[in-house]
Amino acid sequence: MATQPPRLASYDDSTLPNLPSHTKTLFDAKTAQNLTFEQIAHHLNRSEVAVAAIFYGQATASPEDVDKLSSLLNIPRDSLAAQLLSGFPDRGRAGPMPPVEPLIYRLYEIVQNYGYAFKAVMNEKFGDGIMSAICFNSKVEKEVDEAGAEWVVITLRGKW
Amino acid sequence: MATQPPRLASYDDSTLPNLPSHTKTLFDAKTAQNLTFEQIAHHLNRSEVAVAAIFYGQATASPEDVDKLSSLLNIPRDSLAAQLLSGFPDRGRAGPMPPVEPLIYRLYEIVQNYGYAFKAVMNEKFGDGIMSAICFNSKVEKEVDEAGAEWVVITLRGKW
Amino acid sequence: MATQPPRLASYDDSTLPNLPSHTKTLFDAKTAQNLTFEQIAHHLNRSEVAVAAIFYGQATASPEDVDKLSSLLNIPRDSLAAQLLSGFPDRGRAGPMPPVEPLIYRLYEIVQNYGYAFKAVMNEKFGDGIMSAICFNSKVEKEVDEAGAEWVVITLRGKW
Amino acid sequence: MATQPPRLASYDDSTLPNLPSHTKTLFDAKTAQNLTFEQIAHHLNRSEVAVAAIFYGQATASPEDVDKLSSLLNIPRDSLAAQLLSGFPDRGRAGPMPPVEPLIYRLYEIVQNYGYAFKAVMNEKFGDGIMSAICFNSKVEKEVDEAGAEWVVITLRGKW
Amino acid sequence: MATQPPRLASYDDSTLPNLPSHTKTLFDAKTAQNLTFEQIAHHLNRSEVAVAAIFYGQATASPEDVDKLSSLLNIPRDSLAAQLLSGFPDRGRAGPMPPVEPLIYRLYEIVQNYGYAFKAVMNEKFGDGIMSAICFNSKVEKEVDEAGAEWVVITLRGKW
Amino acid sequence: MATQPPRLASYDDSTLPNLPSHTKTLFDAKTAQNLTFEQIAHHLNRSEVAVAAIFYGQATASPEDVDKLSSLLNIPRDSLAAQLLSGFPDRGRAGPMPPVEPLIYRLYEIVQNYGYAFKAVMNEKFGDGIMSAICFNSKVEKEVDEAGAEWVVITLRGKW
Amino acid sequence: MATQPPRLASYDDSTLPNLPSHTKTLFDAKTAQNLTFEQIAHHLNRSEVAVAAIFYGQATASPEDVDKLSSLLNIPRDSLAAQLLSGFPDRGRAGPMPPVEPLIYRLYEIVQNYGYAFKAVMNEKFGDGIMSAICFNSKVEKEVDEAGAEWVVITLRGKW
Amino acid sequence: MATQPPRLASYDDSTLPNLPSHTKTLFDAKTAQNLTFEQIAHHLNRSEVAVAAIFYGQATASPEDVDKLSSLLNIPRDSLAAQLLSGFPDRGRAGPMPPVEPLIYRLYEIVQNYGYAFKAVMNEKFGDGIMSAICFNSKVEKEVDEAGAEWVVITLRGKW
Amino acid sequence: MATQPPRLASYDDSTLPNLPSHTKTLFDAKTAQNLTFEQIAHHLNRSEVAVAAIFYGQATASPEDVDKLSSLLNIPRDSLAAQLLSGFPDRGRAGPMPPVEPLIYRLYEIVQNYGYAFKAVMNEKFGDGIMSAICFNSKVEKEVDEAGAEWVVITLRGKW
Amino acid sequence: MATQPPRLASYDDSTLPNLPSHTKTLFDAKTAQNLTFEQIAHHLNRSEVAVAAIFYGQATASPEDVDKLSSLLNIPRDSLAAQLLSGFPDRGRAGPMPPVEPLIYRLYEIVQNYGYAFKAVMNEKFGDGIMSAICFNSKVEKEVDEAGAEWVVITLRGKW
């Protein structure tokens, strides 16, 4: 399978009606340019999660992001700006809750099972208050343990 | 407020019907002994989140955990073992979903908004597959940025 | 970023099926004319929230409003009147409840958490009764505290 | 009806299972002492809404609040502290959503109908971001218009 | 069946947890005194529906209502006043929605089927606005048509 | 505003997918002919609510109704008959339940709050049984009280 | 297994909170007297389904039914009358919908799958209208086909 | 009204997206041929309910059924076979549950109210087990009682 | 950990209100006798899943099962028979759906993801029809692959 | 019926909006080539369930699968690869939960009724942990018992 190009994330046709129109524009260009989120993130100097969140309409792109996306993905700057820089994100509509996608469900399950545990520990560490889900960044990393097994490490960092 | 003892996490009476009986036992003892999860976690040599998850019935305590909890919290070892070592956790019942508790809702909102972004990045990094929510550990840390603001850093680490 | 034009609120394509046809007409014209709600509200001599509510089909425009919107936004008066002055608003369909949009969710959360507190205080102040959500007006203001932090001040004013 | 004492807010027996145990303690004492929230708020130097929120378990009381509530309501300080100062609020559980209580439903309806209008105006005024529902305060005032009609004025003030 | 006493409305044990404590007090006394709502309403000079609504905790009793109910139903005035005159109604909790009770479901079905028809007719008659469900009264009457069939006539009268 | 024509009820584009095709046909013609439901009802010798219910697909039109609607609204008789006289009403699909439209919600709220009160009074008046929501008619009237305030009077009349 | 007494229907402890108090009284006496619904129905001269519906609080017992149940089941007449003849049935609360009980789910599934087929056939046979679920009776019979297989035959008979 | 052709069941445009494509084909032909389900059922020698269930995609047509439907309804045999004989029914999608259509709701209400009564009687007659909703047939008949009132008699017959 | 007794399945206190009373009786005795389901199943000559299903009230015990359970678990035969042999199982109430318990959720997820795949394969193999979930048995086995990893093998066998 | 070709599984038009675009491509080709899943599975050397899962977008096809599907089903390799090898499955969207399709509901019912029984047996056999629904395979087999009745045997095999 060595000659196989890396498989790239894309959209499923049936989810497009829930997503902003730029999602299709961006993913089609990403596929055409054969770029991973890692490569795009490196070019934009942002985290991969933030870039993917822009693709799905969950985060705001800055004018600089639009410039870089436009040149990297070969999308006319004006049409991309019209899609990404007008209006504000209308977040939270990408998929159903509870999630039916198993991988996303696992994250939901972590909240369901460990939610009160996280709260108890955070309250003791920070007092009464809240962790922001907006003033927030995150990253995904890969770890390989000594047995060769892969682990996903997600870091969520939110202002208190 | 210097003489104020640190405020400890506890349970709300109205949530007890959804929780196993050992939740009350453990929290009452923790309050009586005036211990934080950090102190208990240190004594058990486990993460704070794991310890809190045992309190809420989401994780299994080992016999060693029971020995240490029994001595630290001054609960008779036999009665604690009967509560913690018989049966298996019946997870996921601690609170409603979607969460009504604002702090837990923020974690839910992260899944709602960033779920597809996490999936896309993980798929490109690991291929098709899933991150385990069971073969899983996590921790909560406090960061203070240069402006003095506190940030919560949650690390979720799950086997792929 | 000084040369950046102010970012204007607009609609997300995927929400249009839930909104009356005039929502698209009005927002497209607002974007083309590069006008903020503040500017339109000033022209109509109404509150910004009321103007935005007309855009989203939640409030009735008066014939005067239509005249002014038509000239300001450069939309033929007859076609705008056909959209805005025939029929009556069919309210409440703009988005899902509970809201998935984080900013709107925060308002929902205020009702969820403080609902009974508001009721208790209103009942003691006004007796048994109700605050109208229809014979109602509201405004949004910006405050900057001495530390330079911005605060949103929303005022809801409803007949008892 | 002049000799009628003012009617005081209290709890409905059937809602107690959803509320923390201190709700009953505090309301029973408030009724026995025949105090309005306005009187208590004045004594605590906090807003009436904040005081009612403490009663319903939605806000944290400070040790000073506990001291003052204890003396004003004639509740032993230790037992009140045990209820109010141990643990952290487990918010959002006071009533069902959507609200079935008509007065609270009106607030919900405002979010349902005007949510997108508020978001559009706030986004244009503040940019992309969010209004905090936690770093937040609010008040309820009474206005009487020239026709003698009473109006409720609710002010919500949240950090952006 | 002539010697059969008229059958009186009462509560079902399994619904009591959703109702205020005075519901049981009032219905038990009504049954003991063998009184219909018609008789009680006549004594209080209020509509039958209003009286039943007081029983179910949906309407506020005035001090005069309490005096009359106390003497008619033979309930000590003080204990009745404590139940009926402290606090304010916490409405809307009597039963589930959609209703499972067939008779109540029929009313719900009328709203489901004719809701838009009522709205259209009211809007043309009154303009944009709303009919109050709070500043509101209603009555139930019996009609017998020429064929001897009984008809229920419900009149809902709400302020616009 | 004296020269303003009376505002007529119509449909909202975004609700059409839930309604039968004749809803659009009839409302478009009604708007073109500039007729109120009162005028149409007078012509058909039926109640306004019944006529509106035909428009929304909740009631069956008789062949006579079709003849009269055809001539009054200037719709070819055959095409109208094909829409109105073939098939049977598929009721209950006009809008969501619970209603999000505030005016319709008020009717729903009456059922939620007063449902058991209506049932208790009807049961005492009629015995065990049910009021038909099908063998049923209704009307909407306007009352003006001595203070000049408008009241809506809805009469629901169903066979027992 | 010949000496095995016939197995009798009874209640499950965990369902009692949803049922009127007479359900327990009647089933306990039925078990003690070792009677089938067939035997009780024969004694009361009503259908088995009607008798079971009385047990579950879905149908009204007549005074004659109470007399006969009292003597057959050996329950004091007065206490039984107090439970069965006061108040009116509060129907529809016996179990959740959709049903989780497989046998009841099968009936639900028939409605889900064949509902529109039943409606189409009934409309063509009876015109527009409705089948009463209240002015209604039903029976359950057993058929054995030539292959020895048992078939349930349920007959639902409702007034149009 | 004697010259009025009998009114035939058909589909409502707004329900077609939930139904297989053959539903439209068959009903359009049925209307064009002016045939009742009774006539079609007679021609196919099946029950009317089974025929209607084929129309709504809830039952499988045999090749013989397709032959007869093709000739009776004047639909080319090949195109009908392609629609009816390829694939297998994907049942249960015709309408929402709980049903909003009043006639179908009445059947649902029978299950809701009498479900446990049916179960109790069936269990006593047949033992523990289940009635099949698949190995199942049913019919609808009309009865006229001595007073001239029409009754619907539905017979459900399922294998135990 | 060699001296550790094997950990036995039991119930969680907070789930008991949803379960029949015999669940507690049986599990308490099983724990006291320190028996696994494998041991009990061997004694009863039934599958482990069937035995566990009896414990949870999902399956009927035969009189022979009761005899053997009584002697093995040391429960008086009469009291056990009263719990297990009177009435019929009221199935499906053990836990919420969708399941919140992660292990049970995985089974639910298999249905969610593979449901149509199973249906397509079964339909091609068996034609139109259904697999019984009642005339059904199942077993759970452990497999260890060459890499030493454990696999669960669940076999579901239902009559077509 | 011997000359009847075997009936093949296909899609229902009304479900396509929930499925990826390749579902239609693959099923149309399968029908055109008149192939069963058994034949395709044999050609791909995978289980029938896995092949059907690829058709419904629940499983990933390998490049080898695409080569073989392309030649067997006569679909251009490039267009099939674009549909099947770009992106990753977005699982769980094929149908509603709870399932309305009776055959799929039976699998759901097994989880609902036997979920806790499976969990108890698995926990005793494997300890605390979880069976993977992703690292998972399954098969469907047909058994005929001595009485000639057909049984479905589903084997679910998941990593612990």
Side-chain angles (χ1 to χ4, degrees), chain E residues 2 17 21 34 40-41 73 78 84-85 103 119 143:
Chain E
S21 59
N34 204 21
I40 303 174
L73 295 173
D78 278 3
L84 283 179
L85 296 180
L103 178 45
K119 173 175 156 61
E143 252 183 51

Side-chain angles (χ1 to χ4, degrees), chain A residues 116 119 123 128, chain B residues 10-12 14-15 94 100-102 104, chain D residues 18 20 56-58 87-94:
Chain A
Y116 272 96
K119 173 175 157 59
N123 279 157
D128 189 26
Chain B
S10 185
Y11 56 83
D12 181 303
S14 61
T15 62
V100 294
E101 221 297 322
I104 301 176
Chain D
N18 296 321
Y56 284 107
Q58 303 300 315
F88 297 90
D90 186 13
R91 295 176 169 93
R93 315 176 72 246

